[in-house]
Amino acid sequence: MITSIDTEVKKKTFDVQSFREQFPILKRQVKGYPLIYLDNAATSQKPQVVIDALVNYYSGFNANIHRGIHSLAEEATAAFEATRDTVKDFINASSREEIIFTRGTTEGINLVAATWGRANVKAGDEIIITNMEHHSNIVPWQLLCEEKGAVLKVIPVDDNGELIWEEFLKLISPKTKLISVVHVSNALGTVNPVKNIIAEARKVGALVMVDGAQSTVHLDIDVQDMDCDFFAFSSHKLYGPTGIGVLYGKRDLLLAMPVYQGGGEMIKEVKYTGTTFNDLPYKYEAGTPNIADTIALKTAIDFVNETGKDVMRRHEDELLDYATEQLQQIPGLKIIGQAKEKVSLVSFIIDKLHPQDIAILLDNRGIAVRTGHHCAQPLIDRFCIPGTTRASFAAYNTTEEIDELVKGLHRAIKLLA
Amino acid sequence: MSTIRDIEKEIVEEFGLFDNNDDKYEYIIDLGKKLPVLDDQYKTDDNKVRGCQSSVWLQADYKDGKIFFSADSDSVLVKGLISMLVRVLSGRTPDEIIGAPLDFIKEVGLTSFLAQTRSNGLLSMVKQIKNYALAFKLKHSTT
Ligand SMILES: Cc1ncc(COP(=O)(O)O)c(C=O)c1O
């Protein structure tokens, strides 16, 4: 009895200071000031356990995986494949075969465009994206459409940074082959209604790919409940290492699609008269994979699960509310992206100030933010601005850090205006 | 008349008066605010310096064997940087400009600016200025 109450309590409270303790980089100084890292949407910092996982692999059981008949190879293979199981549970895929390791979200989207896309998209077909996509979810479809003579359609965004639903309904038709949509916008923070989009797609027989680069760290992901056909995310935005990501695809689709890259691992038998391909998921994983980072991704996901996404989210939501409230009081500051459903990031502009100048002055106070178009140039063009300054929060950020950001902005305005 | 190197030394001395980063930045911001705005007619695509996160325009005029620069940017800090480049390089001959190593950028500690954002474009500005010099040189040496 007592232990279950204990874990209940432990689940519900979040001690940001002890959480911070686990991230060694947060102890460093920048330009003589304690680092205030508010660029988490670009990449999050890594806890000690993830760093240790990388070191332990290289110092303990580094070996090439799958075919080796020796102890190290077996240990490395087991650890590598354990990540697949952890990822499967993390996003609730129905089988481990549906989990393809990639370099990141970008490669996941490119893989789908190059395999499913090339095999299924024909002249006159239509692909729908939104006006708030990251370049990674624009360019692969643009290239595919150019190659096939297909048409790329874009769901417009309103002034609050939400999709205009009526316009989406006008765009979707039996010609729509695929809708590829960002789950959470990296530039605005908007959470898109992917389930509703998928419901509409089913009516016309279109597939849906979800770019989960920003959502996976903040929201609970259940690909079966969502019923998306493809879902891609990156480890490095999820407290995990860079260079590794995941593409989820429905099994039937993955079975039917042509292969992506050719090489070792993805083959069954190679003869000059023809090659047969390996089973899922290896069919899409040519060459020696990123073993170390894949292994450490499991550690990152375990870390997130142990901390509790819900607990982290509650803290992040508090940060978002606090930051929104504080920033809005700065004269001349305008928040870009005021969707009803948002994750913990704030993009803003300040009258007469260039975002780059703001960021340089903040950096001189040890505060890391991002400026510019956030790899979403068409979106920034839509708002007719040169770019924004973006503060994006992780669970280790504090309200005190937001106070420092506000102070830094006041100082920047005083100097620059 | 003072050489490019003389002016560079002046600037390095001015920066030597500051013992912290804040003051350096404030000085650059001040320079930026003082740089005359470029007339809109010169803010053309041709005059735009590529590779900058901010918009930077650089106008070059050739007169009596010398090149005169005027420039503008929507970033005050970048304007401050340009104003130093203009101060050092405007009114020089193409050969002087092409041959200038511009060591003051390093000596003043402006390289941290370069590090701050790969695309803030101080290097792109220098490159563009040198390209102008080269173009004028070729154009006027053939006649
Ligand atoms: C919404 C979104 N999509 C895609 C990407 C690309 O992710 P990666 O660079 O890890 O492939 C990002 C990364 O910034 C992103 O924010």
Side-chain angles (χ1 to χ4, degrees), chain A residues 31 354 356-357 360 363-365 371 411 415-417, chain B residues 22 25-26 33 53-54 74-78 116 120:
Chain A
K31 310 247 162 119
H354 197 282
Q356 182 183 295
D357 291 346
I360 289 175
D363 180 63
N364 272 337
R365 287 290 182 274
T371 62
R411 177 172 167 270
L415 287 173
L416 295 167
Chain B
D22 277 1
Y25 280 72
E26 272 183 51
K33 287 181 179 168
Q53 208 186 77
S54 51
D74 53 357
S75 149
V76 182
L77 275 162
V78 171
Q116 251 157 345
N120 91 9

Side-chain angles (χ1 to χ4, degrees), chain B residues 106-125:
Chain B
K106 217 177 352 186
E107 291 161 6
V108 167
L110 292 181
T111 32
S112 79
F113 257 116
L114 300 177
Q116 251 157 345
T117 151
R118 180 158 56 97
S119 53
N120 91 9
L122 186 53
L123 282 182
S124 312
M125 284 186 266

Side-chain angles (χ1 to χ4, degrees), chain A residues 115-235:
Chain A
T115 58
W116 177 87
R118 280 184 143 173
N120 293 284
V121 174
K122 294 181 290 294
D125 285 349
E126 294 177 357
I127 293 175
I128 297 179
I129 59 172
T130 79
N131 197 9
M132 62 174 97
E133 299 307 324
H134 187 280
H135 296 160
S136 296
N137 197 28
I138 302 175
V139 184
W141 307 120
Q142 234 172 9
L143 292 171
L144 178 68
C145 285
E146 270 168 31
E147 183 186 319
K148 297 290 182 177
V151 184
L152 192 64
K153 301 242 161 163
V154 183
I155 310 172
V157 168
D158 68 15
D159 289 341
N160 287 329
E162 290 178 336
L163 295 178
I164 306 177
W165 191 254
E166 306 79 68
E167 296 297 323
F168 166 54
L169 294 182
K170 283 184 211 158
L171 292 179
I172 190 168
S173 79
K175 284 192 196 158
T176 312
K177 277 277 144 28
L178 174 80
I179 303 172
S180 192
V181 56
V182 69
H183 196 180
V184 165
S185 156
N186 63 312
L188 305 171
T190 310
V191 180
N192 282 318
V194 286
K195 274 182 90 166
N196 296 347
I197 291 173
I198 291 164
E200 291 301 324
R202 295 297 170 243
K203 293 183 194 165
V204 298
L207 298 192
V208 178
M209 163 141 217
V210 175
D211 170 350
Q214 295 294 333
S215 61
T216 307
V217 67
H218 297 296
L219 310 178
D220 294 320
I221 305 297
D222 181 336
V223 290
Q224 290 186 72
D225 176 60
M226 196 192 290
D227 195 31
C228 56
D229 299 289
F230 300 105
F231 185 94
F233 69 93
S234 304
S235 144

